[in-house]
Structure formats: C-alpha cells, structure tokens
Amino acid sequence: MLHGMGNGSSLCRTRHRTMNIASAIKPSLRSSLCWIVLGWGLLIAPLAGQEPDPAQPEELTQPEEGVSNELTAKAIGILLEKLEGDSTLDEAVKASLTETYGQVLESLSLAEENARRAALYSEVDEGAAARLQSMADQREALPSPETAATLPANWTIENLEKQRESERAEVEGLHSQLDAADAQLVELRSRPVQIGARLPEARSELLEAERILSAGPLEAGDRKARAEHALARARVLARASEVELLLQERDSQPQRLALLQGRRDLLASQVAVGEARLAAI
C-alpha cells in the first residue's frame, strides 16, 4: 500500500514536519496522531504527483522575531494577543489574521476530538466478547414472563400498590432505553454508507492541505503567508485525524453493532418480564 517510499530525503522531511505538527496535540494523544500524519505524509508524496519543495523544513517554518512557531492553542492565543495589541497593524489586516488564526484553533480542537474518538473505537475489541457473553447470561437468568407474573400469596393491598408503582416506573425506563437502542441501531447501520461517502472527501482535503503546506519557503515578515501556513498545518492534523477516525469507526462497526444488538435484545427481554409482572399486579 505504501508504494513510492524509496526517496529517503522526502521521508525525512515528512517525518520532521510531522513531528513539528504533532506538537499541537495534548501529550496523551500526540503519539498516535504523529504516526497518523506521518503515514498519510508517506502516501501523499506519490499521490500528489510531485516532490515537496527541496527547501529545508526550518526554512518553511522559521518564525518571525518574537513570535512562537509552536502550533498549540496556547501559542496561537499568545499570537492573537500580540496581534490585538499591535497598534501599527492595519485594522483590515488585523481582522483577516485574527480570522485565520481563529480557524487554526478550530482545526486544532477538531484534530484533538477526532483523535480521542478514534482511540475509543480502536479499543472496542477489548472485552467485547466478554460483554456479549455477560449480556447473554443476564438474558438467560431472567425469569420467563409466565414466572414473573406469579405474585407472592402473602402480599397485602399495600404491597401491591407499592410494587405496581415501582414496576411501572421500571418498565417505563426500560421502554425508553429500548427505544433509544432501536434508534441507535438505525443510525449505526447507516454509518457505512456515510463513511464511504466522507472518506474520499477527507482524503482529498488532506492532500490539498499537504499541497499548501509544501508549496515553498515563507518570506520573513509575511504575516498573511504565515497565518495561512499555520492554518494548513492545523488542517493537515484535522483531516489526517478525521481519516483515521473514519477508518477506526468503519473497522469497529461489526463489533459495535453486535454489542448494541446484544444490549437491545437484553432490554427487550427485560421489558417483556416487567410488563408481565406489571399486568399481574
């Protein structure tokens, strides 16, 4: 799958840029996202049909004096404060830069959320079999509706009234959970089609962000170009993490569907038992 990896210098440049971009994400998610972006960086060079600009990575990301080049929410916040306090900057330029860096923050936030969700999907396999077995055991342990309808002979009218209210509330709660599970099953079964439609779009957007990122060296003092460059870096993170999220969601679909169906079946059995008991009271 990863054909076209023979150019060592291109790989080194991609790895360097990837490590730089990955610093935008929290430490707990940074490692996985670093390899997500690196993997796509390796794919992008041959797919884009051209080699990245031969300039050194430092030339592409050299910050202007007094401004951090770290791509984090904190660093971007400091940069925005500097922009706001810069009385020498034209207001229209300031507004444009502020808007662009606001988009950078949005992309960084999206990348972090994508990575968090992808990590959850990747863990679905862990304990899935045990959870399915547990739900099957719970269903097996339930009394039959006929047995549930048999009431203790020594119950008083007061016992019956209290039990009726308790059973009614429990059955209503189980019905709500069952309805929610049915709705979730409908949504889950529709996701493969939605993922199939979105995945090529996200990959295309990732390629475009990489193309912009590799366009060439930045000129010192060109604030607009630097803002666009930062936005391209953030969008690479956002799109790469979205692609990984979609792949993890797609690959975990069978397990998640089985788990949700198991929960739905357990709830249906609990509802049947509860309704039988309630009808007998």
Side-chain angles (χ1 to χ4, degrees):
M1 187 173 89
L2 298 178
H3 63 282
M5 293 173 54
N7 191 322
S9 62
S10 175
L11 173 58
C12 290
R13 287 196 298 274
T14 303
R15 184 186 296 272
H16 184 285
R17 187 170 60 222
T18 299
M19 299 303 180
N20 199 19
I21 293 173
S23 66
I25 301 303
K26 287 182 178 178
S28 60
L29 301 175
R30 195 171 292 166
S31 177
S32 60
L33 265 181
C34 177
W35 288 109
I36 291 170
V37 181
L38 174 58
W40 280 105
L42 295 176
L43 285 171
I44 284 163
L47 290 175
Q50 61 180 15
E51 285 294 315
D53 189 274
Q56 293 299 314
E58 290 76 6
E59 292 181 276
L60 296 177
T61 59
Q62 183 66 32
E64 58 187 287
E65 184 177 356
V67 177
S68 171
N69 195 46
E70 185 181 11
L71 192 66
T72 64
K74 181 179 179 180
I76 298 301
I78 293 173
L79 190 149
L80 285 170
E81 289 180 2
K82 288 179 177 290
L83 284 175
E84 182 64 27
D86 190 345
S87 59
T88 66
L89 195 61
D90 179 79
E91 288 301 318
V93 173
K94 182 184 295 186
S96 177
L97 292 174
T98 299
E99 180 181 0
T100 300
Y101 283 116
Q103 293 172 4
V104 171
L105 290 175
E106 291 175 1
S107 291
L108 291 178
S109 177
L110 179 59
E112 188 169 312
E113 175 62 14
N114 286 343
R116 184 192 66 81
R117 292 176 58 199
L120 291 177
Y121 285 135
S122 71
E123 296 168 359
V124 168
D125 269 343
E126 299 178 12
R131 290 164 63 190
L132 284 170
Q133 186 59 53
S134 175
M135 287 186 285
D137 292 343
Q138 290 179 63
R139 286 187 68 199
E140 185 69 23
L142 288 173
S144 67
E146 293 76 19
T147 302
T150 303
L151 303 178
N154 61 346
W155 271 13
T156 65
I157 296 298
E158 184 179 357
N159 291 143
L160 289 173
E161 289 295 334
K162 289 182 178 179
Q163 191 64 24
R164 182 182 295 112
E165 292 305 313
S166 174
E167 288 292 340
R168 181 178 292 112
E170 183 174 350
V171 169
E172 287 177 356
L174 289 170
H175 264 298
S176 295
Q177 294 180 57
L178 181 58
D179 290 343
D182 284 334
Q184 290 167 7
L185 278 170
V186 171
E187 171 65 19
L188 187 56
R189 287 172 178 143
S190 71
R191 284 299 293 159
V193 173
Q194 296 170 8
I195 292 171
R198 176 57 189 159
L199 193 53
E201 293 177 352
R203 283 171 168 159
S204 177
E205 291 167 12
L206 175 59
L207 287 173
E208 176 61 15
E210 277 282 356
R211 184 193 66 78
I212 294 173
L213 191 60
S214 303
L218 300 175
E219 296 182 7
D222 190 341
R223 285 184 163 183
K224 181 179 179 180
R226 292 192 179 284
E228 293 295 337
H229 188 266
L231 181 56
R233 292 169 66 193
R235 282 177 172 167
V236 165
L237 273 178
R239 294 288 75 80
S241 62
E242 182 187 5
V243 168
E244 178 64 13
L245 169 60
L246 292 170
L247 292 174
Q248 290 289 352
E249 183 182 0
R250 183 193 65 186
D251 294 345
S252 65
Q253 168 87 1
Q255 296 92 331
R256 290 183 295 112
L257 187 58
L259 287 168
L260 184 54
Q261 185 65 57
R263 172 171 167 73
R264 192 267 175 207
D265 293 343
L266 175 58
L267 286 167
S269 297
Q270 290 171 331
V271 165
V273 170
E275 288 181 336
R277 185 180 290 118
L278 182 60
I281 297 175

